[in-house]
Amino acid sequence: MDDTAAQLAAEWLLAEHQAGRRFATFGPPAAPTSISDAYDIQDRYVALLRRRDGEPAGYKVGLTSATMQAFCRIDHPIAGVVLASRVHRSGASIRRSDYGRLGLEFEIAVRIKSDISATAHTAATIEPHIDGVGAAIELVDDRAADYTSLDVRSLVADNSWNGGIVLSDFKPSWPDLVPLLGRATQDGDLIGEGYGRDILGHPFNSVAWLATQLATRGLTLKAGQVVMTGSVMKTVFPEHDAHYRFELEGLGLVEVQVS
């Protein structure tokens, strides 16, 4: 996609957010015709967001579980950028009114220890590059999208809907992540659960996918960055004030208050 078209599309996206408009699929002539075009727009949209929200602190990988792929009717992962001002610590208070429509996704997050080269990776080769694993909640802003006609290219262009993340402390050692059970509660009541294996078979496979995706854009994962590896269960959309908690058995927990 040429630079001018991508920039105009990014500026349109920013204006849509600022006006509080519902998510809409791109129409011609700005519509991306490929996933690569969509990431071209995302790059420029994120550059506009950085003026207010700071530098990239990491990435989110979405649609890594069969549940989420079925929910969104998209059969492959996608990536977005997490900006510094959108990183929150466990116990944060989040207002629904700050988002078009707030969704919560319950995830395993990792912190990168050393830069990851562009060579092909597996979960096993990624592990030496990880120095911490923790529970996390992604704040998704889908702006009340219509999932029956969702266009993946428009979703990717819109920074894959990342509105922020809430992080627990990162643990420098961790149990086997494949059978690791995560449980989400709302005001103490169970609302969903899933396992580490639900994230592309292993959460580190999500990081490996991201490293490959970034390499196609001439980028690499850097030491200190955080990667949200994907939700173990379907997105939850809070409709009233509530306290949410996500606990990974034997690893830790993260909490957020939504009002």
Side-chain angles (χ1 to χ4, degrees):
M1 193 173 205
D2 71 70
D3 290 346
T4 299
Q7 183 65 30
L8 289 173
E11 291 172 358
W12 177 81
L13 258 180
L14 184 64
E16 290 287 288
H17 276 267
Q18 290 174 338
R21 296 192 181 98
R22 185 178 185 183
F23 177 83
T25 295
F26 276 99
T33 59
S34 66
I35 290 292
S36 179
D37 284 352
Y39 282 110
D40 287 344
I41 297 171
Q42 183 190 113
D43 288 346
R44 286 158 180 79
Y45 175 53
V46 168
L48 296 174
L49 294 177
R50 285 167 62 181
R51 300 171 184 174
R52 183 192 67 188
D53 293 324
E55 294 302 303
Y59 297 88
K60 63 83 56 88
V61 184
L63 308 184
T64 56
S65 70
T67 297
M68 286 303 300
Q69 289 184 2
F71 179 49
C72 292
R73 304 184 181 189
I74 296 167
D75 63 359
H76 57 81
I78 59 175
V81 180
V82 179
L83 297 172
S85 75
R86 299 182 176 194
V87 178
H88 309 275
R89 301 303 304 172
S90 180
S93 294
I94 304 298
R95 298 184 302 179
R96 297 192 310 281
S97 60
D98 289 338
Y99 305 85
R101 182 172 70 161
L102 174 65
L104 304 180
E105 297 186 351
F106 302 89
E107 312 202 10
I108 295 172
V110 304
R111 186 174 60 203
I112 304 300
K113 176 171 65 175
S114 53
D115 294 1
I116 300 178
S117 68
T119 56
H121 281 284
T122 64
T125 62
I126 284 293
E127 185 160 7
H129 294 279
I130 306 297
D131 74 355
V133 177
I137 296 173
E138 183 181 3
L139 309 174
V140 173
D141 187 359
D142 75 352
R143 292 190 288 139
D146 178 1
Y147 285 73
T148 65
S149 59
L150 192 57
D151 170 48
V152 64
R153 292 162 297 186
S154 296
L155 167 55
V156 167
D158 198 3
N159 198 28
S160 296
W161 289 348
N162 180 257
I165 60 177
V166 184
L167 298 173
S168 70
D169 292 332
F170 285 99
K171 299 295 180 66
S173 60
W174 49 87
D176 184 357
L177 298 180
V178 171
L180 188 67
L181 175 63
R183 287 194 175 98
T185 60
Q186 175 185 306
D187 293 332
D189 296 325
L190 183 68
I191 55 173
E193 61 184 27
Y195 296 88
R197 61 176 173 263
D198 295 325
I199 304 170
L200 296 180
H202 192 295
F204 294 167
N205 285 330
S206 178
V207 184
W209 177 88
L210 177 63
T212 301
Q213 166 60 28
L214 291 176
T216 69
R217 312 289 300 171
L219 302 170
T220 57
L221 273 171
K222 301 291 187 181
Q225 290 183 326
V226 172
V227 177
M228 300 285 285
T229 62
S231 187
V232 301
M233 53 179 273
K234 187 176 174 181
T235 310
V236 171
F237 296 99
E239 296 180 351
H240 52 77
D241 295 2
H243 180 266
Y244 293 87
R245 173 181 171 129
F246 180 56
E247 182 169 6
L248 293 168
E249 285 191 341
L251 186 63
L253 61 90
V254 60
E255 299 176 290
V256 65
Q257 178 67 40
V258 174
S259 59

